[in-house]
Amino acid sequence: MKVAIAGAGAVGRSIAAELIAGEHQVMLIERQESQYEPQTVEQAEWVLADACELASLEDAGMQLCDVVIAATGVDQVNLVVSLLAKTVFAVRRVVARVNDPANEWLFNEAWGVDVAVSTPRMLAAMVEEAVSVGDLVQLLTLRQGQANLVELTLPEDTPLAGRPVREVVLPKDAALVVILRGGRVIVPQPDDPLEAGDELLFVASANVENEIRTALGY
């Protein structure tokens, strides 16, 4: 894929390095000369321009990108970049960084955002996931709230210990996608037995999360 990243600060450069390691083409767009440091990510194409200016984006070739990531430290800038990428350049996938959780409600399809990533919310979810056993924890919101990635760790006294996955009857709009057990990542099969301490990851719509708890006996 060809990926454009607006914002070449620490976050933008880190994302660029990861994507380049995955053999993607990356273009970093930065408007501040103090942040324009091509030597830090040499394999990326660097563009010194304002990512909120239509002409600058066109000159940079955003219309040729498969994905745009708005990764600046300013939410208003990320929204404008997302809107231009989606509505003017018809970019297939737009990902935007949310700096202030209070602004998260703005990062939706109306602003051209396909995926909003709120670092404070994700960190809080990771902390909650690390200390919560026997309760459902929301890790990530997908498609502007249409579905969530949620996790539940089975406690030591779980009644599900030894029972196969097929005996867990989940609601229609929920799917068990991964079981984390020790250092293993298990793609669940119907006859796989569950164990105490298993971390179960589900993709589910928000309105069935209580039904997932009931199916797991909580």
Side-chain angles (χ1 to χ4, degrees):
M1 296 185 299
K2 182 167 185 179
V3 182
I5 302 173
V11 172
R13 293 196 302 269
S14 296
I15 296 170
E18 291 290 333
L19 290 171
I20 288 169
E23 300 185 353
H24 298 293
Q25 299 177 52
V26 176
M27 175 172 64
L28 276 163
I29 305 172
E30 177 56 54
R31 69 180 182 87
Q32 297 184 40
E33 290 190 21
S34 60
Q35 298 273 23
Y36 187 79
E37 300 176 333
Q39 72 278 6
T40 58
V41 189
E42 294 181 347
Q43 300 94 328
E45 175 189 354
W46 285 72
V47 177
L48 183 61
D50 188 340
C52 291
E53 291 184 356
L54 188 60
S56 297
L57 296 178
E58 188 171 3
D59 290 344
M62 184 169 281
Q63 64 274 14
L64 303 176
C65 293
D66 302 295
V67 179
V68 166
I69 302 173
T72 79
V74 181
D75 286 343
Q76 294 90 329
V77 171
N78 291 341
L79 286 170
V80 172
V81 171
S82 299
L83 186 63
L84 292 176
K86 182 66 71 173
T87 60
V88 177
F89 298 102
V91 175
R92 181 168 53 89
R93 194 75 166 164
V94 177
V95 180
R97 172 188 176 188
V98 184
N99 297 279
D100 184 348
N103 296 329
E104 193 170 0
W105 66 277
L106 288 165
F107 286 74
N108 55 33
E109 292 180 354
W111 280 94
V113 178
D114 294 307
V115 178
V117 180
S118 173
T119 302
R121 183 180 293 276
M122 289 185 67
L123 287 173
M126 293 301 106
V127 171
E128 191 175 357
E129 184 271 336
V131 300
S132 297
V133 175
D135 195 14
L136 209 60
V137 177
Q138 185 183 119
L139 300 180
L140 188 65
T141 299
L142 308 171
R143 301 296 296 176
Q144 291 78 51
Q146 294 178 30
N148 297 320
L149 178 66
V150 295
E151 183 268 357
L152 185 143
T153 300
L154 296 178
E156 290 299 321
D157 60 351
T158 178
L160 296 175
R163 293 173 58 185
V165 168
R166 57 182 159 77
E167 290 188 11
V168 179
V169 182
L170 294 173
K172 180 180 179 182
D173 295 329
L176 174 61
V177 291
V178 171
I179 299 172
L180 303 179
R181 181 179 296 158
R184 298 174 60 197
V185 177
I186 302 169
V187 178
Q189 303 300 316
D191 292 327
D192 288 342
L194 297 169
E195 295 181 6
D198 282 354
E199 294 182 48
L200 311 181
L201 272 67
F202 303 87
V203 173
S205 59
N207 60 354
V208 300
E209 290 181 7
N210 285 333
E211 296 178 52
I212 295 175
R213 291 186 179 92
T214 300
L216 297 172
Y218 300 101

